[in-house]
Amino acid sequence: MRFYSVRFGCLLAFVCFVSLSWIKSIPHHEGSAIQLDLQTLYERLLAAEQLGVEVRKDLSNMLEELRNMSKAANNTHHTVNNTNDISTVTERRRQEHSDLHTQAILQPNIYAFLPHLAKHPESLTPNILLGQGRRGVSIVMGVPTVKREKESYLVSTLSSLLYSLTPSEKSDILIIIFVAESDLDYVRGVAEIISKNFPKDVQTGLLEVVAPSQYYYPNFTSLKETFGDSKDRVKWRTKQNLDFSFLMLYAQDKGTYYVQLEDDVVAKSDYLSTMKNFADKETSKDLLYLEFSQLGFIGKMFRTRDLPMISEFFLMFHRDKPIDWLLDHILWVKACNPEKDAKDCNTQKELLKKRYKPSLFQHVGVHSSLSGKLQPLKDKDFGTQALFRAHKNPPAELSTSLIHYQQHSLDRAYGGVDFFWATAPIKNDYILFNFSLPINITRSV
């Protein structure tokens, strides 16, 4: 606005200057008429100049008012901006304060106990070599197995577990073999052996073979030696804690009960129905686990809903103590009052577990999975395993190329009075049953 008023004043001055110059340039001989017209023009110009002064004064006043209005508007805008800025900052701080109060607490997870797993997202994905995804069974059995230097008992253990199962029992159980090795060739070899020896049980989904990722195990060289154990033994017991934890986490959504076994045991013939009946009878009690063997971790039965808590405890202290000690510590945490004595503590712990007698599983391995260690442990409560069950068989003529030992002949076994015991068979040996009449061979459920 100020720019236009200056231009107007300059233009008015220029017009006055040109008019005066033009008047002075008119010759005097043109007569009095022209002088009269010029006089009139001069008076008008003076009036216009006076009017221009007044207009300029009015414009100046208007400009001053506009300037004042502009200042007021700027101040108002600045105040509004400041207010908005303050409001924005206040809102941001309020939101940050609110976020501090509404932010979810970080949940503990397996990466807190095994931080090396965070480098490999696939490290917790099980490598499933055999399986049909069976779920909803009554009992899930976990059998971890490792490479042994001397002798493997795995096939014998699985044969013992499967031998006496009826078809209905086979449909209500899942046996998970966890090959706790990172050597893929060895893992595939174990899966091939199981598939070859138990093809029907693999096909129906009764048997599963899984292995951990090659990134699952940490670097064991930094383990601290404790309780007088050698570095190899500390590594062995630490890895066992990790193996059992992995197996428990894998099995937690597949059935009602979970039974922890080892790969060098033998089972009594009626073990499954006995365990189910005993577990069903005790299901209403506040128990952490049931025991079907007194040796180490063999035959421990847990509710699958408790497995996440149990495995998390094992993972939390996997470097510190053997797994059977850690299980006892869970009982201590749950039951013992620090203000009372050890006798009361032991009494309270006994209320959280219950043992079935006689034991249903016997340890048969001599060579431990720990290199160089002999472990001829036997469960005294296992008793004597029945070596045969009498059956009513149809008439038949029997023959065999095998030589029986003492009185344990094939005829006595077929007649239901003894078991058949012969020397080790070789290629082309046979047992022949010749029925005189056609019969239908079935098996009762």
Side-chain angles (χ1 to χ4, degrees), residues 26 49 62 65 73 82 117 170 192 211 227 281 309 439:
I26 297 177
E49 183 179 8
M62 292 176 62
E65 291 181 5
N82 285 345
L117 298 180
K170 283 191 172 184
E192 184 178 350
F227 307 112
K281 185 175 68 173
M309 178 273 294
I439 60 172

Side-chain angles (χ1 to χ4, degrees), residues 63-259:
L63 183 61
E64 184 66 23
E65 291 181 5
L66 289 173
R67 187 179 294 111
N68 293 335
M69 292 175 63
S70 178
K71 288 182 180 181
N74 288 337
N75 290 336
T76 302
H77 180 70
H78 182 69
T79 301
V80 170
N81 284 344
N82 285 345
T83 302
N84 289 339
D85 291 342
I86 294 172
S87 298
T88 302
V89 172
T90 302
E91 177 62 23
R92 187 183 301 117
R93 289 178 178 174
R94 187 193 65 79
Q95 186 63 38
E96 291 175 353
H97 182 72
S98 177
D99 290 343
L100 290 176
H101 286 277
T102 58
Q103 181 180 354
I105 297 175
L106 295 178
Q107 298 294 318
N109 54 53
I110 195 171
Y111 298 114
F113 314 127
L114 300 173
H116 70 281
L117 298 180
K119 299 178 182 178
H120 303 281
E122 71 278 17
S123 57
L124 289 175
T125 303
N127 181 14
I128 303 175
L129 291 96
L130 298 174
Q132 303 297 328
R134 178 178 285 197
R135 279 180 167 78
V137 298
S138 294
I139 293 180
V140 181
M141 309 192 78
V143 182
T145 186
V146 296
K147 186 187 299 184
R148 295 176 182 265
E149 293 182 352
K150 297 291 185 179
E151 184 178 3
S152 174
Y153 308 93
L154 179 60
V155 172
S156 297
T157 295
L158 295 178
S159 298
S160 175
L161 293 174
L162 296 171
Y163 171 71
S164 63
L165 297 181
T166 65
S168 61
E169 288 176 332
K170 283 191 172 184
S171 65
D172 197 31
I173 186 176
L174 171 63
I175 301 175
I176 303 171
I177 301 96
F178 177 68
V179 187
E181 298 287 348
S182 55
D183 183 346
L184 294 181
D185 290 335
Y186 177 79
V187 171
R188 294 191 186 101
V190 173
E192 184 178 350
I193 290 173
I194 292 175
S195 182
K196 181 179 179 180
N197 282 274
F198 310 100
K200 186 175 180 181
D201 296 314
V202 169
Q203 184 179 6
T204 60
L206 190 160
L207 293 179
E208 286 190 8
V209 179
V210 300
S213 160
Q214 60 180 324
Y215 304 111
Y216 176 64
Y217 297 109
N219 183 355
F220 292 111
T221 59
S222 61
L223 294 174
K224 181 180 178 181
E225 297 177 25
T226 56
F227 307 112
D229 289 340
S230 65
K231 181 166 291 188
D232 287 341
R233 187 176 181 86
V234 172
K235 175 184 175 180
W236 172 77
R237 79 189 194 204
T238 300
K239 182 178 178 297
Q240 187 181 61
N241 291 339
L242 296 176
D243 293 340
F244 283 28
S245 298
F246 190 103
L247 190 46
M248 287 181 173
L249 291 173
Y250 178 75
Q252 63 178 303
D253 63 343
K254 299 182 182 296
T256 305
Y257 300 104
Y258 173 79
V259 179

Side-chain angles (χ1 to χ4, degrees), residues 151-421:
E151 184 178 3
S152 174
Y153 308 93
L154 179 60
V155 172
S156 297
T157 295
L158 295 178
S159 298
S160 175
L161 293 174
L162 296 171
Y163 171 71
S164 63
L165 297 181
T166 65
S168 61
E169 288 176 332
K170 283 191 172 184
S171 65
D172 197 31
I173 186 176
L174 171 63
I175 301 175
I176 303 171
I177 301 96
F178 177 68
V179 187
E181 298 287 348
S182 55
D183 183 346
L184 294 181
D185 290 335
Y186 177 79
V187 171
R188 294 191 186 101
V190 173
E192 184 178 350
I193 290 173
I194 292 175
S195 182
K196 181 179 179 180
N197 282 274
F198 310 100
K200 186 175 180 181
D201 296 314
V202 169
Q203 184 179 6
T204 60
L206 190 160
L207 293 179
E208 286 190 8
V209 179
V210 300
S213 160
Q214 60 180 324
Y215 304 111
Y216 176 64
Y217 297 109
N219 183 355
F220 292 111
T221 59
S222 61
L223 294 174
K224 181 180 178 181
E225 297 177 25
T226 56
F227 307 112
D229 289 340
S230 65
K231 181 166 291 188
D232 287 341
R233 187 176 181 86
V234 172
K235 175 184 175 180
W236 172 77
R237 79 189 194 204
T238 300
K239 182 178 178 297
Q240 187 181 61
N241 291 339
L242 296 176
D243 293 340
F244 283 28
S245 298
F246 190 103
L247 190 46
M248 287 181 173
L249 291 173
Y250 178 75
Q252 63 178 303
D253 63 343
K254 299 182 182 296
T256 305
Y257 300 104
Y258 173 79
V259 179
Q260 184 68 61
L261 292 177
E262 295 183 6
D263 64 348
D264 54 354
V265 300
V266 63
K268 285 192 173 179
S269 57
D270 57 349
Y271 77 93
L272 187 63
S273 59
T274 301
M275 285 197 301
K276 289 175 62 175
N277 293 335
F278 188 69
D280 291 343
K281 185 175 68 173
E282 303 293 334
T283 188
S284 61
K285 299 179 182 179
D286 188 19
L287 299 172
L288 181 64
Y289 62 87
L290 301 175
E291 295 181 286
F292 296 94
S293 173
Q294 67 169 347
L295 295 179
F297 225 82
I298 296 173
K300 299 291 188 291
M301 174 186 278
F302 308 91
R303 297 182 180 91
T304 54
R305 66 171 183 260
D306 294 327
L307 293 181
M309 178 273 294
I310 295 170
S311 59
E312 185 172 357
F313 192 93
F314 292 160
L315 290 172
M316 194 181 307
F317 301 104
H318 71 277
R319 294 170 174 263
D320 300 311
K321 291 185 177 181
I323 196 161
D324 49 343
W325 292 12
L326 293 179
L327 181 61
D328 185 72
H329 288 330
I330 296 178
L331 295 176
W332 192 97
V333 171
K334 282 183 164 292
C336 294
N337 186 340
E339 297 179 355
K340 295 187 178 182
D341 58 17
K343 182 178 179 180
D344 179 78
C345 179
N346 291 332
T347 301
Q348 297 303 318
K349 286 193 297 184
E350 289 298 321
L351 297 178
L352 293 179
K353 59 182 180 178
K354 190 162 186 178
R355 184 160 164 241
Y356 177 85
K357 293 182 181 182
S359 298
L360 299 180
F361 303 97
Q362 177 65 284
H363 180 262
V364 296
V366 176
H367 300 283
S368 171
S369 57
L370 176 60
S371 179
K373 179 186 177 185
L374 295 178
Q375 188 169 271
L377 299 176
K378 298 299 177 183
D379 190 336
K380 296 180 180 180
D381 289 335
F382 184 73
T384 302
Q385 170 72 311
L387 298 178
F388 77 100
R389 286 194 297 177
H391 298 279
K392 185 178 181 180
N393 298 313
E397 294 181 4
L398 312 177
S399 60
T400 179
S401 62
L402 299 173
I403 300 175
H404 65 266
Y405 177 71
Q406 294 183 354
Q407 77 277 12
H408 308 296
S409 65
L410 180 62
D411 289 330
R412 285 172 60 83
Y414 196 76
V417 295
D418 200 357
F419 58 90
F420 179 44
W421 187 359

